Amino acid sequence: MASLDGLTRREREVAWLVASGMTNRQIAERMSIAERTVDTHVQRILAKSNCATRVQVAVLVAAGYG
């Protein structure tokens, strides 16, 4: 089952920004980190949460899973 339970604090922050509809570039600018770092966070979020897409992550965030 998909869940956000295993995410780090930083990954949760990125997941929330993904759920708000921001692109990796926008997230990088907002967090003052490299876009590649955001991409790495997103990939880890997808793997840890058992999600295949950013939309699925957004649904989990909106539903409060984790």
Side-chain angles (χ1 to χ4, degrees):
M1 183 168 129
S3 171
L4 301 175
D5 288 335
L7 302 186
T8 66
R9 181 192 60 79
R10 193 69 156 176
E11 289 167 346
R12 285 177 183 273
E13 186 178 355
V14 171
W16 186 84
L17 294 172
V18 165
S20 72
M22 296 178 84
T23 65
N24 285 5
R25 177 172 288 164
Q26 292 168 328
I27 293 169
E29 289 173 5
R30 172 90 170 254
M31 297 178 74
S32 299
I33 58 177
E35 190 173 348
R36 180 68 183 115
T37 302
V38 175
D39 184 57
T40 298
H41 283 311
V42 170
Q43 293 308 313
R44 288 182 181 160
I45 291 164
L46 292 172
K48 289 181 178 182
S49 66
N50 239 359
C51 291
T53 67
R54 294 167 73 98
V55 172
Q56 289 176 324
V57 171
V59 169
L60 285 180
V61 170
Y65 284 102

